[in-house]
Amino acid sequence: MDNSWKRNLFVLWLGTFLVSMAYSVSIPFMSIFLQDDLGVQSHLELWTGVVFAITFLAAALIAPFWGSMADKYGRKPMMLRAAICLSIAYFLYYVVQNPYELLLVRVMEGLLAGYIPSAIALVATNTPEKHVGYALGVISTSSATASILGPLLGGVVSHLVGPRDTFLLAGIMVLIAFVIALAWVKEPSFVKTDKKRSSVLNDLKEAASNRTLMSALFIVFITSTSIMLLEPLLTIYVLKLGASQSDASLHAGIIFSAVGISTLIAAPRWGKMGGKLGYEKVLFIGLIGGGIGNLLQILFHDLVGFGTLRFVYGLFFAAVFPALNAFIATHTEPGFRSRAFSLNQSANQMGLLLGPLIGGFLATQLSIPVVFVINGCMLLLVAVMLKLPKFSFQPSASTLKETSKTG
């Protein structure tokens, strides 16, 4: 039995961990970098928001193009391209001298990066069908692990040598991810085709004809928006729960880490359960648990209770993205799979872009607990929609036929 998929999974887990760590050790300190190193003293919040949003927007717009290239030339070449471009972007962050140069590099990063979506597509495509859910659950733990360790390492480095040097560290991490992928990742099932690369417009039309894929992309967008709706508000909420100004970052970091730890524990198990029970059931459980978890958060008015509930919320919500990735992998034709995951990236990036904007607006008009309620109701509504025929995750006949040929 060919176990190359296990080696790929290990190497890609490590590469995804390094890329996620690179983000976690550097990007959260972007506002400090803007203020202390690039001299932004006025409108710091606006500059920070624009610097973050522009990368998400660029990535969302370009992702279908790179997906089309991956389906023609291979997922591994696109992953290597993304890794080397991302590494260069971090090294450029290290040398920029003003906010306008930083903005240009952020646009470049959005247009040229995409290591993690390529890694997920490669895992989904080159893993035996019965192990897909498990493998996608495992790969999702890499980002969760990085989210636990990254801010801690980044905070130490930023404190000792300044935020600029964290970008140098991040660039080295991504370069290592490039080297190990180049040396050890294999893509045995990909055969280069002479067929002309399809246009993005045709790809969008093909995706629109796949009801299951469009339903999955819609849920990806909603869940990504849900995460980012609250994430920027959690530190503020920690202050409201009684943390002192000096300890707010520490307590917020612990609460962020609680979700990461629970994801690390639960995601592989949800992946295995998805293969046995069905991914739709697992997704439904994850959305219900995430929705109820958000609703219950308004009942806790102390840091220990709030942090504990966030941990339990993470145990359920960890089911969502592995299940969605498995849907995309199993309900799209192999020749369209990289483009499907690129559209998945676009939906995810749009959620990451809009979530903080919507959450910030709601928090100015309503209290933060009310935003928790809105978020919880949104996830419960999506769970209910899963049970409607229009959103049923049933593969088309053509997809089943094509999958059976290659499986």
Side-chain angles (χ1 to χ4, degrees):
M1 182 178 179
D2 183 13
N3 289 320
S4 62
W5 69 273
K6 294 181 179 179
R7 180 189 60 206
N8 274 354
L9 180 60
F10 173 77
V11 176
L12 291 172
W13 188 98
L14 184 58
T16 302
F17 169 75
L18 288 168
V19 172
S20 298
M21 275 284 284
Y23 180 93
S24 297
V25 303
S26 59
I27 301 302
F29 307 97
M30 188 68 77
S31 59
I32 301 173
F33 179 62
L34 280 164
Q35 185 176 53
D36 294 351
D37 288 71
L38 302 185
V40 176
Q41 301 301 324
S42 60
H43 307 296
L44 178 62
E45 294 84 358
L46 177 61
W47 268 107
T48 303
V50 171
V51 163
F52 270 85
I54 197 69
T55 304
F56 294 140
L57 180 60
L61 295 176
I62 200 66
F65 169 77
W66 290 124
S68 177
M69 294 290 286
D71 278 330
K72 180 168 176 60
Y73 296 108
R75 289 97 191 175
K76 180 179 176 179
M78 290 302 105
M79 185 175 65
L80 295 175
R81 173 205 56 76
I84 199 67
C85 290
L86 183 57
S87 181
I88 291 171
Y90 280 122
F91 289 131
L92 288 176
Y93 290 147
Y94 179 70
V95 301
V96 296
Q97 298 300 316
N98 61 66
Y100 300 101
E101 291 177 356
L102 177 65
L103 203 60
L104 286 175
V105 180
R106 290 288 289 171
V107 172
M108 186 199 85
E109 180 187 340
L111 292 175
L112 298 178
Y115 180 97
I116 293 176
S118 297
I120 293 172
L122 204 156
V123 168
T125 303
N126 290 283
T127 300
E129 190 74 24
K130 63 181 180 179
H131 299 299
V132 166
Y134 167 75
L136 291 172
V138 168
I139 200 73
S140 71
T141 65
S142 59
S143 296
T145 306
S147 71
I148 299 167
L149 301 177
L152 176 62
L153 176 61
V156 171
V157 174
S158 180
H159 176 72
L160 293 177
V161 296
R164 186 181 290 273
D165 291 273
T166 63
F167 295 119
L168 186 61
L169 175 62
I172 293 171
M173 286 180 175
V174 179
L175 192 59
I176 294 171
F178 167 82
V179 171
I180 63 174
L182 178 65
W184 289 298
V185 170
K186 305 296 181 185
E187 191 174 7
S189 66
F190 183 79
V191 178
K192 186 174 178 180
T193 176
D194 293 327
K195 191 169 84 170
K196 183 180 178 182
R197 182 183 63 81
S198 61
S199 69
V200 172
L201 182 59
N202 287 336
D203 292 341
L204 293 174
K205 289 180 179 177
E206 184 171 348
S209 66
N210 186 333
R211 187 180 66 185
T212 301
L213 175 60
M214 295 306 294
S215 298
L217 295 179
F218 172 76
I219 296 175
V220 167
F221 170 71
I222 293 296
T223 49
S224 298
T225 303
S226 164
I227 292 169
M228 294 307 294
L229 202 70
L230 295 177
E231 196 161 297
L233 304 177
L234 286 180
T235 303
I236 301 171
Y237 192 59
V238 164
L239 283 170
K240 293 182 179 295
L241 291 179
S244 65
Q245 192 75 37
S246 59
D247 292 336
S249 296
L250 174 62
H251 287 123
I254 292 171
I255 289 172
F256 277 120
S257 296
V259 178
I261 292 169
S262 58
T263 301
L264 184 63
I265 294 169
R269 290 166 174 79
W270 284 121
K272 282 186 176 180
M273 289 180 65
K276 295 177 181 178
L277 301 178
Y279 296 113
E280 186 171 349
K281 289 181 180 178
V282 168
L283 177 60
F284 180 78
I285 294 170
L287 290 169
I288 290 290
I292 293 174
N294 275 312
L295 292 177
L296 291 178
Q297 283 171 138
I298 65 171
L299 302 178
F300 289 82
H301 304 290
D302 63 278
L303 289 170
V304 174
F306 182 67
T308 303
L309 185 61
R310 290 291 293 175
F311 176 83
V312 176
Y313 154 86
L315 290 175
F316 284 93
F317 202 72
V320 173
F321 284 105
L324 287 169
N325 287 332
F327 275 125
I328 294 171
T330 56
H331 294 339
T332 54
E333 297 177 7
F336 190 75
R337 206 158 283 167
S338 288
R339 282 167 282 176
F341 274 101
S342 292
L343 292 171
N344 175 55
Q345 183 191 8
S346 292
N348 182 53
Q349 296 285 354
M350 290 306 296
L352 296 177
L353 171 64
L354 293 176
L357 300 177
I358 297 171
F361 172 77
L362 290 175
T364 61
Q365 306 299 315
L366 308 165
S367 66
I368 293 179
V370 175
V371 180
F372 279 123
V373 172
I374 292 172
N375 198 18
C377 291
M378 185 167 64
L379 292 177
L380 292 176
L381 179 61
V382 174
V384 172
M385 290 171 65
L386 274 178
K387 299 301 181 180
L388 300 178
K390 184 178 180 181
F391 285 87
S392 178
F393 282 103
Q394 297 298 325
S396 64
S398 62
T399 301
L400 287 172
K401 183 179 178 182
E402 190 67 29
T403 302
S404 66
K405 288 180 184 178
T406 60

mmCIF file of all heavy atoms in Angstrom, residues 4-16 74-77 79-80 115 118-123 126 139 176-188:
data_model
loop_
_atom_site.group_PDB
_atom_site.id
_atom_site.type_symbol
_atom_site.label_atom_id
_atom_site.label_comp_id
_atom_site.label_asym_id
_atom_site.label_seq_id
_atom_site.Cartn_x
_atom_site.Cartn_y
_atom_site.Cartn_z
ATOM 1 N N SER A 4 2.689 7.255 0.655
ATOM 2 C CA SER A 4 3.282 8.563 0.379
ATOM 3 C C SER A 4 2.393 9.693 0.897
ATOM 4 O O SER A 4 2.891 10.773 1.236
ATOM 5 C CB SER A 4 3.527 8.739 -1.122
ATOM 6 O OG SER A 4 2.311 8.682 -1.844
ATOM 7 N N TRP A 5 1.081 9.436 0.996
ATOM 8 C CA TRP A 5 0.176 10.473 1.488
ATOM 9 C C TRP A 5 0.488 10.820 2.952
ATOM 10 O O TRP A 5 0.321 11.978 3.363
ATOM 11 C CB TRP A 5 -1.291 10.039 1.346
ATOM 12 C CG TRP A 5 -1.730 8.920 2.241
ATOM 13 C CD1 TRP A 5 -1.647 7.591 2.006
ATOM 14 C CD2 TRP A 5 -2.314 9.052 3.548
ATOM 15 N NE1 TRP A 5 -2.140 6.870 3.064
ATOM 16 C CE2 TRP A 5 -2.565 7.744 4.021
ATOM 17 C CE3 TRP A 5 -2.650 10.139 4.352
ATOM 18 C CZ2 TRP A 5 -3.148 7.494 5.267
ATOM 19 C CZ3 TRP A 5 -3.226 9.897 5.597
ATOM 20 C CH2 TRP A 5 -3.473 8.587 6.043
ATOM 21 N N LYS A 6 0.969 9.819 3.710
ATOM 22 C CA LYS A 6 1.325 10.087 5.105
ATOM 23 C C LYS A 6 2.549 10.992 5.196
ATOM 24 O O LYS A 6 2.600 11.893 6.028
ATOM 25 C CB LYS A 6 1.580 8.772 5.843
ATOM 26 C CG LYS A 6 0.342 7.901 5.998
ATOM 27 C CD LYS A 6 0.666 6.631 6.769
ATOM 28 C CE LYS A 6 -0.577 5.765 6.947
ATOM 29 N NZ LYS A 6 -0.281 4.508 7.673
ATOM 30 N N ARG A 7 3.539 10.727 4.337
ATOM 31 C CA ARG A 7 4.719 11.599 4.309
ATOM 32 C C ARG A 7 4.329 13.005 3.886
ATOM 33 O O ARG A 7 4.760 13.994 4.486
ATOM 34 C CB ARG A 7 5.764 11.030 3.351
ATOM 35 C CG ARG A 7 7.038 11.888 3.261
ATOM 36 C CD ARG A 7 7.931 11.407 2.140
ATOM 37 N NE ARG A 7 7.239 11.481 0.866
ATOM 38 C CZ ARG A 7 7.523 10.713 -0.185
ATOM 39 N NH1 ARG A 7 8.479 9.796 -0.089
ATOM 40 N NH2 ARG A 7 6.856 10.857 -1.316
ATOM 41 N N ASN A 8 3.502 13.095 2.836
ATOM 42 C CA ASN A 8 3.023 14.412 2.400
ATOM 43 C C ASN A 8 2.319 15.137 3.533
ATOM 44 O O ASN A 8 2.527 16.334 3.751
ATOM 45 C CB ASN A 8 2.060 14.258 1.212
ATOM 46 C CG ASN A 8 2.783 14.191 -0.114
ATOM 47 O OD1 ASN A 8 4.000 14.358 -0.189
ATOM 48 N ND2 ASN A 8 2.041 13.936 -1.169
ATOM 49 N N LEU A 9 1.462 14.414 4.252
ATOM 50 C CA LEU A 9 0.698 15.030 5.328
ATOM 51 C C LEU A 9 1.632 15.565 6.407
ATOM 52 O O LEU A 9 1.445 16.695 6.897
ATOM 53 C CB LEU A 9 -0.274 14.015 5.926
ATOM 54 C CG LEU A 9 -1.156 14.499 7.076
ATOM 55 C CD1 LEU A 9 -2.025 15.671 6.634
ATOM 56 C CD2 LEU A 9 -2.037 13.356 7.599
ATOM 57 N N PHE A 10 2.649 14.794 6.760
ATOM 58 C CA PHE A 10 3.593 15.243 7.781
ATOM 59 C C PHE A 10 4.357 16.488 7.322
ATOM 60 O O PHE A 10 4.455 17.482 8.060
ATOM 61 C CB PHE A 10 4.584 14.125 8.121
ATOM 62 C CG PHE A 10 5.687 14.550 9.047
ATOM 63 C CD1 PHE A 10 5.451 14.705 10.412
ATOM 64 C CD2 PHE A 10 6.955 14.829 8.563
ATOM 65 C CE1 PHE A 10 6.466 15.109 11.268
ATOM 66 C CE2 PHE A 10 7.978 15.239 9.403
ATOM 67 C CZ PHE A 10 7.725 15.382 10.764
ATOM 68 N N VAL A 11 4.888 16.440 6.109
ATOM 69 C CA VAL A 11 5.685 17.558 5.598
ATOM 70 C C VAL A 11 4.813 18.797 5.419
ATOM 71 O O VAL A 11 5.214 19.921 5.769
ATOM 72 C CB VAL A 11 6.372 17.181 4.270
ATOM 73 C CG1 VAL A 11 7.116 18.385 3.695
ATOM 74 C CG2 VAL A 11 7.341 16.029 4.482
ATOM 75 N N LEU A 12 3.602 18.616 4.895
ATOM 76 C CA LEU A 12 2.718 19.758 4.681
ATOM 77 C C LEU A 12 2.201 20.311 6.004
ATOM 78 O O LEU A 12 1.966 21.521 6.120
ATOM 79 C CB LEU A 12 1.558 19.356 3.767
ATOM 80 C CG LEU A 12 1.969 19.079 2.312
ATOM 81 C CD1 LEU A 12 0.804 18.510 1.525
ATOM 82 C CD2 LEU A 12 2.483 20.350 1.642
ATOM 83 N N TRP A 13 2.007 19.434 6.993
ATOM 84 C CA TRP A 13 1.642 19.926 8.326
ATOM 85 C C TRP A 13 2.748 20.832 8.846
ATOM 86 O O TRP A 13 2.472 21.934 9.354
ATOM 87 C CB TRP A 13 1.430 18.766 9.292
ATOM 88 C CG TRP A 13 0.865 19.183 10.623
ATOM 89 C CD1 TRP A 13 -0.440 19.134 11.006
ATOM 90 C CD2 TRP A 13 1.589 19.743 11.742
ATOM 91 N NE1 TRP A 13 -0.588 19.616 12.289
ATOM 92 C CE2 TRP A 13 0.633 20.006 12.762
ATOM 93 C CE3 TRP A 13 2.916 20.059 11.983
ATOM 94 C CZ2 TRP A 13 0.985 20.561 13.995
ATOM 95 C CZ3 TRP A 13 3.270 20.614 13.207
ATOM 96 C CH2 TRP A 13 2.321 20.854 14.201
ATOM 97 N N LEU A 14 3.991 20.395 8.719
ATOM 98 C CA LEU A 14 5.115 21.186 9.201
ATOM 99 C C LEU A 14 5.232 22.504 8.422
ATOM 100 O O LEU A 14 5.434 23.567 9.016
ATOM 101 C CB LEU A 14 6.408 20.381 9.074
ATOM 102 C CG LEU A 14 7.682 21.037 9.629
ATOM 103 C CD1 LEU A 14 7.513 21.372 11.108
ATOM 104 C CD2 LEU A 14 8.883 20.118 9.417
ATOM 105 N N GLY A 15 5.075 22.427 7.092
ATOM 106 C CA GLY A 15 5.147 23.645 6.287
ATOM 107 C C GLY A 15 4.033 24.619 6.607
ATOM 108 O O GLY A 15 4.257 25.830 6.733
ATOM 109 N N THR A 16 2.809 24.095 6.758
ATOM 110 C CA THR A 16 1.682 24.955 7.097
ATOM 111 C C THR A 16 1.857 25.564 8.481
ATOM 112 O O THR A 16 1.522 26.735 8.714
ATOM 113 C CB THR A 16 0.369 24.141 7.033
ATOM 114 O OG1 THR A 16 0.224 23.590 5.723
ATOM 115 C CG2 THR A 16 -0.833 25.021 7.331
ATOM 116 N N GLY A 74 -0.116 21.775 -11.681
ATOM 117 C CA GLY A 74 0.148 21.011 -10.470
ATOM 118 C C GLY A 74 0.023 21.857 -9.221
ATOM 119 O O GLY A 74 0.298 23.055 -9.233
ATOM 120 N N ARG A 75 -0.382 21.211 -8.112
ATOM 121 C CA ARG A 75 -0.543 21.944 -6.847
ATOM 122 C C ARG A 75 0.805 22.245 -6.210
ATOM 123 O O ARG A 75 0.999 23.308 -5.626
ATOM 124 C CB ARG A 75 -1.402 21.136 -5.883
ATOM 125 C CG ARG A 75 -2.876 21.069 -6.273
ATOM 126 C CD ARG A 75 -3.211 19.819 -7.022
ATOM 127 N NE ARG A 75 -4.545 19.867 -7.608
ATOM 128 C CZ ARG A 75 -5.016 18.894 -8.399
ATOM 129 N NH1 ARG A 75 -4.292 17.837 -8.674
ATOM 130 N NH2 ARG A 75 -6.218 18.987 -8.905
ATOM 131 N N LYS A 76 1.752 21.311 -6.334
ATOM 132 C CA LYS A 76 3.054 21.534 -5.712
ATOM 133 C C LYS A 76 3.774 22.747 -6.308
ATOM 134 O O LYS A 76 4.295 23.585 -5.547
ATOM 135 C CB LYS A 76 3.928 20.282 -5.835
ATOM 136 C CG LYS A 76 5.303 20.468 -5.187
ATOM 137 C CD LYS A 76 6.172 19.222 -5.286
ATOM 138 C CE LYS A 76 7.563 19.484 -4.716
ATOM 139 N NZ LYS A 76 8.432 18.281 -4.782
ATOM 140 N N PRO A 77 3.839 22.906 -7.646
ATOM 141 C CA PRO A 77 4.489 24.113 -8.181
ATOM 142 C C PRO A 77 3.860 25.405 -7.692
ATOM 143 O O PRO A 77 4.563 26.385 -7.404
ATOM 144 C CB PRO A 77 4.323 23.950 -9.696
ATOM 145 C CG PRO A 77 4.221 22.488 -9.915
ATOM 146 C CD PRO A 77 3.482 21.959 -8.725
ATOM 147 N N MET A 79 2.278 25.799 -4.853
ATOM 148 C CA MET A 79 2.606 25.938 -3.445
ATOM 149 C C MET A 79 4.024 26.482 -3.271
ATOM 150 O O MET A 79 4.268 27.361 -2.442
ATOM 151 C CB MET A 79 2.469 24.584 -2.753
ATOM 152 C CG MET A 79 2.676 24.621 -1.245
ATOM 153 S SD MET A 79 2.356 23.014 -0.488
ATOM 154 C CE MET A 79 3.681 22.062 -1.223
ATOM 155 N N LEU A 80 4.948 25.981 -4.072
ATOM 156 C CA LEU A 80 6.329 26.468 -4.012
ATOM 157 C C LEU A 80 6.416 27.927 -4.443
ATOM 158 O O LEU A 80 7.151 28.725 -3.840
ATOM 159 C CB LEU A 80 7.230 25.593 -4.890
ATOM 160 C CG LEU A 80 7.387 24.135 -4.440
ATOM 161 C CD1 LEU A 80 8.205 23.358 -5.460
ATOM 162 C CD2 LEU A 80 8.040 24.061 -3.066
ATOM 163 N N TYR A 115 0.105 29.710 0.073
ATOM 164 C CA TYR A 115 0.731 28.425 0.410
ATOM 165 C C TYR A 115 -0.273 27.478 1.068
ATOM 166 O O TYR A 115 -0.395 26.309 0.677
ATOM 167 C CB TYR A 115 1.925 28.660 1.342
ATOM 168 C CG TYR A 115 2.649 27.402 1.766
ATOM 169 C CD1 TYR A 115 3.801 26.988 1.112
ATOM 170 C CD2 TYR A 115 2.185 26.621 2.835
ATOM 171 C CE1 TYR A 115 4.474 25.834 1.496
ATOM 172 C CE2 TYR A 115 2.847 25.464 3.224
ATOM 173 C CZ TYR A 115 3.990 25.079 2.548
ATOM 174 O OH TYR A 115 4.638 23.929 2.927
ATOM 175 N N SER A 118 -3.003 25.931 -1.141
ATOM 176 C CA SER A 118 -2.381 24.955 -2.041
ATOM 177 C C SER A 118 -2.045 23.672 -1.296
ATOM 178 O O SER A 118 -2.220 22.565 -1.826
ATOM 179 C CB SER A 118 -1.109 25.544 -2.662
ATOM 180 O OG SER A 118 -1.398 26.663 -3.468
ATOM 181 N N ALA A 119 -1.564 23.801 -0.055
ATOM 182 C CA ALA A 119 -1.238 22.623 0.750
ATOM 183 C C ALA A 119 -2.500 21.810 1.049
ATOM 184 O O ALA A 119 -2.487 20.574 0.971
ATOM 185 C CB ALA A 119 -0.558 23.053 2.046
ATOM 186 N N ILE A 120 -3.594 22.497 1.386
ATOM 187 C CA ILE A 120 -4.854 21.796 1.668
ATOM 188 C C ILE A 120 -5.357 21.087 0.420
ATOM 189 O O ILE A 120 -5.812 19.933 0.475
ATOM 190 C CB ILE A 120 -5.909 22.790 2.203
ATOM 191 C CG1 ILE A 120 -5.487 23.304 3.589
ATOM 192 C CG2 ILE A 120 -7.279 22.130 2.285
ATOM 193 C CD1 ILE A 120 -6.364 24.428 4.110
ATOM 194 N N ALA A 121 -5.278 21.756 -0.737
ATOM 195 C CA ALA A 121 -5.715 21.141 -1.988
ATOM 196 C C ALA A 121 -4.879 19.909 -2.312
ATOM 197 O O ALA A 121 -5.402 18.892 -2.789
ATOM 198 C CB ALA A 121 -5.624 22.158 -3.126
ATOM 199 N N LEU A 122 -3.578 19.970 -2.037
ATOM 200 C CA LEU A 122 -2.702 18.835 -2.322
ATOM 201 C C LEU A 122 -3.034 17.664 -1.404
ATOM 202 O O LEU A 122 -3.106 16.513 -1.850
ATOM 203 C CB LEU A 122 -1.247 19.267 -2.165
ATOM 204 C CG LEU A 122 -0.205 18.453 -2.951
ATOM 205 C CD1 LEU A 122 1.047 19.298 -3.202
ATOM 206 C CD2 LEU A 122 0.178 17.175 -2.231
ATOM 207 N N VAL A 123 -3.269 17.958 -0.124
ATOM 208 C CA VAL A 123 -3.658 16.900 0.821
ATOM 209 C C VAL A 123 -4.986 16.285 0.395
ATOM 210 O O VAL A 123 -5.142 15.052 0.373
ATOM 211 C CB VAL A 123 -3.756 17.463 2.255
ATOM 212 C CG1 VAL A 123 -4.449 16.460 3.188
ATOM 213 C CG2 VAL A 123 -2.373 17.793 2.794
ATOM 214 N N ASN A 126 -4.433 14.093 -2.955
ATOM 215 C CA ASN A 126 -3.507 12.972 -2.988
ATOM 216 C C ASN A 126 -3.610 12.056 -1.768
ATOM 217 O O ASN A 126 -2.709 11.265 -1.513
ATOM 218 C CB ASN A 126 -2.077 13.488 -3.136
ATOM 219 C CG ASN A 126 -1.829 14.069 -4.517
ATOM 220 O OD1 ASN A 126 -1.647 13.339 -5.481
ATOM 221 N ND2 ASN A 126 -1.854 15.388 -4.616
ATOM 222 N N ILE A 139 -4.356 18.463 9.184
ATOM 223 C CA ILE A 139 -3.700 19.647 8.613
ATOM 224 C C ILE A 139 -4.252 20.930 9.228
ATOM 225 O O ILE A 139 -3.545 21.933 9.371
ATOM 226 C CB ILE A 139 -3.840 19.672 7.065
ATOM 227 C CG1 ILE A 139 -2.777 20.590 6.431
ATOM 228 C CG2 ILE A 139 -5.205 20.101 6.622
ATOM 229 C CD1 ILE A 139 -1.401 20.034 6.437
ATOM 230 N N ILE A 176 12.069 28.105 5.074
ATOM 231 C CA ILE A 176 12.234 26.707 5.492
ATOM 232 C C ILE A 176 11.066 25.858 4.978
ATOM 233 O O ILE A 176 11.258 24.727 4.505
ATOM 234 C CB ILE A 176 12.346 26.615 7.030
ATOM 235 C CG1 ILE A 176 13.627 27.293 7.515
ATOM 236 C CG2 ILE A 176 12.319 25.153 7.484
ATOM 237 C CD1 ILE A 176 13.706 27.431 9.026
ATOM 238 N N ALA A 177 9.833 26.414 5.057
ATOM 239 C CA ALA A 177 8.662 25.703 4.531
ATOM 240 C C ALA A 177 8.823 25.423 3.040
ATOM 241 O O ALA A 177 8.446 24.348 2.549
ATOM 242 C CB ALA A 177 7.390 26.516 4.798
ATOM 243 N N PHE A 178 9.390 26.374 2.303
ATOM 244 C CA PHE A 178 9.646 26.188 0.871
ATOM 245 C C PHE A 178 10.630 25.050 0.640
ATOM 246 O O PHE A 178 10.415 24.175 -0.207
ATOM 247 C CB PHE A 178 10.190 27.491 0.275
ATOM 248 C CG PHE A 178 10.774 27.341 -1.100
ATOM 249 C CD1 PHE A 178 9.957 27.324 -2.219
ATOM 250 C CD2 PHE A 178 12.149 27.199 -1.280
ATOM 251 C CE1 PHE A 178 10.492 27.173 -3.490
ATOM 252 C CE2 PHE A 178 12.698 27.056 -2.539
ATOM 253 C CZ PHE A 178 11.869 27.046 -3.652
ATOM 254 N N VAL A 179 11.719 25.032 1.408
ATOM 255 C CA VAL A 179 12.776 24.035 1.211
ATOM 256 C C VAL A 179 12.271 22.624 1.493
ATOM 257 O O VAL A 179 12.513 21.690 0.708
ATOM 258 C CB VAL A 179 13.995 24.370 2.088
ATOM 259 C CG1 VAL A 179 15.013 23.225 2.048
ATOM 260 C CG2 VAL A 179 14.652 25.661 1.626
ATOM 261 N N ILE A 180 11.546 22.437 2.600
ATOM 262 C CA ILE A 180 11.093 21.078 2.933
ATOM 263 C C ILE A 180 10.022 20.599 1.955
ATOM 264 O O ILE A 180 9.965 19.404 1.635
ATOM 265 C CB ILE A 180 10.593 20.986 4.395
ATOM 266 C CG1 ILE A 180 9.376 21.872 4.629
ATOM 267 C CG2 ILE A 180 11.706 21.325 5.375
ATOM 268 C CD1 ILE A 180 8.765 21.709 6.019
ATOM 269 N N ALA A 181 9.183 21.516 1.444
ATOM 270 C CA ALA A 181 8.193 21.122 0.441
ATOM 271 C C ALA A 181 8.883 20.739 -0.867
ATOM 272 O O ALA A 181 8.506 19.767 -1.531
ATOM 273 C CB ALA A 181 7.202 22.255 0.209
ATOM 274 N N LEU A 182 9.888 21.510 -1.249
ATOM 275 C CA LEU A 182 10.633 21.223 -2.479
ATOM 276 C C LEU A 182 11.308 19.859 -2.394
ATOM 277 O O LEU A 182 11.318 19.079 -3.360
ATOM 278 C CB LEU A 182 11.679 22.317 -2.704
ATOM 279 C CG LEU A 182 12.596 22.156 -3.936
ATOM 280 C CD1 LEU A 182 11.784 22.249 -5.215
ATOM 281 C CD2 LEU A 182 13.695 23.208 -3.902
ATOM 282 N N ALA A 183 11.853 19.534 -1.233
ATOM 283 C CA ALA A 183 12.638 18.313 -1.083
ATOM 284 C C ALA A 183 11.778 17.062 -0.893
ATOM 285 O O ALA A 183 12.111 15.995 -1.434
ATOM 286 C CB ALA A 183 13.599 18.466 0.098
ATOM 287 N N TRP A 184 10.668 17.168 -0.158
ATOM 288 C CA TRP A 184 9.990 15.948 0.293
ATOM 289 C C TRP A 184 8.528 15.789 -0.123
ATOM 290 O O TRP A 184 7.995 14.688 -0.025
ATOM 291 C CB TRP A 184 10.097 15.843 1.817
ATOM 292 C CG TRP A 184 11.487 15.531 2.262
ATOM 293 C CD1 TRP A 184 12.216 14.415 1.970
ATOM 294 C CD2 TRP A 184 12.332 16.345 3.086
ATOM 295 N NE1 TRP A 184 13.450 14.479 2.551
ATOM 296 C CE2 TRP A 184 13.558 15.659 3.252
ATOM 297 C CE3 TRP A 184 12.173 17.585 3.701
ATOM 298 C CZ2 TRP A 184 14.609 16.171 3.994
ATOM 299 C CZ3 TRP A 184 13.228 18.096 4.448
ATOM 300 C CH2 TRP A 184 14.421 17.402 4.593
ATOM 301 N N VAL A 185 7.877 16.843 -0.567
ATOM 302 C CA VAL A 185 6.474 16.683 -0.970
ATOM 303 C C VAL A 185 6.404 16.079 -2.370
ATOM 304 O O VAL A 185 7.086 16.538 -3.289
ATOM 305 C CB VAL A 185 5.725 18.036 -0.931
ATOM 306 C CG1 VAL A 185 4.352 17.905 -1.584
ATOM 307 C CG2 VAL A 185 5.575 18.509 0.505
ATOM 308 N N LYS A 186 5.594 15.047 -2.535
ATOM 309 C CA LYS A 186 5.377 14.409 -3.827
ATOM 310 C C LYS A 186 3.927 14.606 -4.254
ATOM 311 O O LYS A 186 3.021 14.627 -3.427
ATOM 312 C CB LYS A 186 5.681 12.912 -3.757
ATOM 313 C CG LYS A 186 7.083 12.584 -3.231
ATOM 314 C CD LYS A 186 8.169 13.104 -4.140
ATOM 315 C CE LYS A 186 9.554 12.754 -3.603
ATOM 316 N NZ LYS A 186 10.639 13.353 -4.422
ATOM 317 N N GLU A 187 3.730 14.732 -5.542
ATOM 318 C CA GLU A 187 2.375 14.866 -6.089
ATOM 319 C C GLU A 187 2.166 13.760 -7.117
ATOM 320 O O GLU A 187 2.160 14.000 -8.323
ATOM 321 C CB GLU A 187 2.180 16.245 -6.719
ATOM 322 C CG GLU A 187 0.736 16.542 -7.059
ATOM 323 C CD GLU A 187 0.527 17.980 -7.553
ATOM 324 O OE1 GLU A 187 1.515 18.701 -7.746
ATOM 325 O OE2 GLU A 187 -0.633 18.356 -7.749
ATOM 326 N N PRO A 188 1.986 12.521 -6.645
ATOM 327 C CA PRO A 188 1.993 11.382 -7.568
ATOM 328 C C PRO A 188 0.805 11.308 -8.512
ATOM 329 O O PRO A 188 0.918 10.780 -9.609
ATOM 330 C CB PRO A 188 2.008 10.171 -6.630
ATOM 331 C CG PRO A 188 1.392 10.682 -5.363
ATOM 332 C CD PRO A 188 1.816 12.106 -5.260
#
